[in-house]
Amino acid sequence: MGDLTDSTYLCKIMKGIDYVINCAAYLGEDTELAIASNIMGVKFLAHAALDNSVKKFIHISTTSVYG
């Protein structure tokens, strides 16, 4: 397992990857952890995918956004 907030790690593991399906999410009450994981983590993951010419990036949101 890796850390979505570690951009160096994400770039390293993205090498040779064609597709990324992201459904990682933090659903707890810690606002700082939620921002780090759900916002910055997705940003770092998307940038790593772009930097490594990933063909498709699919981001799946959590159903808890619907209440």
Side-chain angles (χ1 to χ4, degrees):
M1 292 298 191
D3 181 352
L4 286 177
T5 62
D6 184 347
S7 58
T8 303
Y9 170 78
L10 293 173
C11 279
K12 180 181 173 183
I13 65 164
M14 261 328 146
K15 294 191 186 320
I17 299 296
D18 291 327
Y19 305 98
V20 172
I21 301 172
N22 177 50
C23 56
Y26 171 76
L27 303 175
E29 295 182 19
D30 183 334
T31 303
E32 287 184 28
L33 185 55
I35 290 170
S37 176
N38 300 343
I39 297 172
M40 300 308 296
V42 173
K43 176 182 172 184
F44 293 148
L45 191 64
H47 280 284
L50 284 171
D51 290 346
N52 285 284
S53 302
V54 169
K55 294 177 183 175
K56 294 276 185 186
F57 183 95
I58 300 169
H59 176 75
I60 301 170
S61 182
T62 175
T63 56
S64 54
V65 299
Y66 303 109

